[in-house]
Amino acid sequence: MLDTRTIQAQQRPTRTLWLIGTFASLIGFGQNALLVSLPILVMTTDIDLGTWSILIAIGSVLFLPSAPFWGKQSDKSGPRKVVSIGLLGLAVTFIGFALIIHALEQNWISTTTSILLLGTLRIIYGLTVSGLVPASQHWAIQTVGKENRLSAITSVSAALSVGRIGGPLLSVALVKLNPLLPFAFVGSSALFLVTLCLLQPSIPSTVSPKKIKSRALLGSIKNYITIGLCLCAAVGVLHYSLTPLLQSIPELTPEQWSDWVGYLLTTSAVATLSTQLFVVKKKLFSVNQMLTLGASLTLVGYGLFLVHNIATYLIAIIVLSSGNAVMAPAYTAKAMQHHSENQGQISGLIATGHTIGFGLAGLIMSLSAYLDVAPIGFSILLAGLMILLTFRQLKT
């Protein structure tokens, strides 16, 4: 029989993974809290939608240089410190948003001053929160061991999915009570989690981070970063295209378009989480099989969107989301196998590729409008490129 100390030792990694997942899920919740509150903020403040979009973009763009930096720091100083900084940045940003918007509504500050303060907070967000997911992945890998790298990465990805599913539901309920409650909830939750994070024992690295030039590291995993970039760009284009796609279905009324966008996004999040928990976590396929299967499902999913039927769209979003859920942890794990001493830095570089991909989606939408080409065609093209890169990488 197992003694009490043995049982506690076995349970500790699982508890730590749950806690790390909670840290990561708060990002997904925070992103959705801002999006849910945005329409009301536009109506209740003198800040227009264009300005809000710029403010949101400021934080997102800063992920590009800062995510790899925090990845390096995670390798050097340990992920707990980086996660704590990310959570603290999240707390400062969202509590600050609530205070500034309240001050603006009470006419304590001018609109110009509020925009400058909100912009400063978004800079803080971009420079600190960008390290939260890479460091969480690094911490999860440290917790369960490199031999269980795929399971660790999937745990963090699943936590993000949970935040993105629960975020809109809770945010809608909180907004009805007070438009600033979602911000206050995220900020106070982040402060509480900072305390829990600092109370966790730091896991010392058994291997010092290998000193490798960023250019050399980037060159060795560039194909995996490109696959991730293509995946996020294709998803971003689809999200932008959902309303035009629904408008092509004659039986839907304009009032139903918005509802069905929500239904499709929720279906996508549920399919993603289900695949992460019941396929990836169960290790039903090898990493190479996951890459091949994910790329194939992604291409099929985008292709189904060419059939203008709401039932087909639902099938398409399930197939596509399942493919993405299988593929993302697979190429992340493959990239980390090349340099096991630089897990945090690699996670940061892949996160940067994802950010670039979502940014590229906006440019693709502009290009599709200029060329008068259906945007979904670009998603299919990107999925095809992912398949080529995947098979090329598996051959090497």
Side-chain angles (χ1 to χ4, degrees):
M1 294 180 66
L2 295 175
D3 59 28
T4 303
R5 286 179 298 178
T6 302
I7 294 173
Q8 290 176 341
Q10 291 175 342
Q11 291 176 340
R12 194 175 298 117
T14 301
R15 291 174 180 172
T16 304
L17 274 181
W18 275 101
L19 186 59
I20 295 169
T22 304
F23 299 153
S25 68
L26 198 58
I27 290 186
F29 186 93
Q31 291 170 341
N32 282 288
L34 181 56
L35 293 175
V36 169
S37 302
L38 194 55
I40 296 177
L41 294 177
V42 172
M43 290 188 294
T44 57
T45 66
D46 293 330
I47 305 175
D48 59 36
L49 181 58
T51 304
W52 277 112
S53 300
I54 293 172
L55 289 172
I56 294 172
I58 289 172
S60 301
V61 168
L62 288 174
F63 272 53
L64 297 177
S66 56
F69 169 80
W70 287 119
K72 287 183 180 180
Q73 295 304 309
S74 182
D75 288 329
K76 292 178 182 179
S77 307
R80 187 186 67 170
K81 179 179 179 181
V82 177
V83 169
S84 299
I85 292 172
L87 289 171
L88 186 59
L90 200 63
V92 169
T93 301
F94 277 82
I95 291 175
F97 258 59
L99 293 174
I100 292 169
I101 295 168
H102 178 69
L104 178 61
E105 291 175 344
Q106 298 299 319
N107 294 318
W108 295 341
I109 58 176
S110 67
T111 301
T112 302
T113 301
S114 67
I115 291 173
L116 291 174
L117 291 173
L118 291 170
T120 301
L121 288 176
R122 287 298 294 178
I123 291 172
I124 294 172
Y125 177 90
L127 293 178
T128 57
V129 181
S130 56
L132 191 48
V133 171
S136 294
Q137 289 182 336
H138 186 199
W139 196 350
I141 293 169
Q142 280 190 334
T143 300
V144 301
K146 294 175 183 176
E147 66 278 5
N148 296 309
R149 182 186 291 112
L150 181 63
S151 178
I153 294 169
T154 305
S155 296
V156 176
S157 298
L160 282 168
S161 298
V162 170
R164 287 167 182 154
I165 293 172
L169 301 176
L170 185 55
S171 293
V172 168
L174 293 175
V175 161
K176 290 180 179 179
L177 298 174
N178 188 300
L180 300 183
L181 269 183
F183 296 102
F185 177 83
V186 174
S188 57
S189 297
L191 276 180
F192 174 69
L193 291 177
V194 168
T195 305
L196 290 183
C197 182
L198 293 175
L199 291 175
Q200 299 306 305
S202 180
I203 303 176
S205 178
T206 56
V207 182
S208 300
K210 185 178 179 181
K211 292 184 178 179
I212 181 171
K213 291 183 178 180
S214 296
R215 183 176 297 180
L217 182 63
L218 183 62
S220 63
I221 63 171
K222 64 180 184 298
N223 282 344
Y224 297 117
I225 294 176
T226 304
I227 291 172
L229 187 155
C230 290
L231 183 146
C232 290
V235 170
V237 169
L238 175 64
H239 286 175
Y240 285 126
S241 305
L242 283 179
T243 298
L245 284 169
L246 291 168
Q247 289 173 346
S248 66
I249 301 177
E251 56 265 30
L252 293 182
T253 64
E255 292 77 16
Q256 293 176 312
W257 295 339
S258 181
D259 292 340
W260 272 103
V261 168
Y263 298 153
L264 289 171
L265 290 178
T266 302
T267 301
S268 173
V270 171
T272 298
L273 180 61
S274 299
T275 304
Q276 290 165 338
L277 293 179
F278 301 113
V279 177
V280 182
K281 287 278 286 183
K282 298 291 184 181
K283 298 181 180 179
L284 299 183
F285 303 98
S286 68
V287 176
N288 287 347
Q289 288 173 334
M290 285 169 59
L291 277 173
T292 305
L293 177 63
S296 302
L297 287 177
T298 300
L299 182 60
V300 171
Y302 285 120
L304 287 173
F305 275 103
L306 295 175
V307 181
H308 300 306
N309 178 278
I310 195 62
T312 306
Y313 284 1
L314 285 169
I315 296 171
I317 204 75
I318 292 172
V319 172
L320 172 63
S321 301
S322 300
N324 289 342
V326 166
M327 198 168 188
Y331 63 67
T332 303
K334 289 284 287 185
M336 288 181 173
Q337 287 176 3
H338 286 264
H339 302 279
S340 59
E341 302 89 351
N342 303 88
Q343 308 279 296
Q345 189 175 358
I346 289 172
S347 184
L349 288 170
I350 289 176
T352 299
H354 291 167
T355 304
I356 294 173
F358 282 120
L360 185 62
L363 295 177
I364 291 174
M365 290 300 295
S366 299
L367 180 62
S368 67
Y370 177 76
L371 297 176
D372 195 23
V373 176
I376 196 66
F378 285 94
S379 291
I380 295 173
L381 185 64
L382 288 165
L385 180 58
M386 277 192 288
I387 286 184
L388 291 177
L389 288 171
T390 297
F391 282 100
R392 177 183 175 186
Q393 196 61 36
L394 292 177
K395 287 181 180 179
T396 59

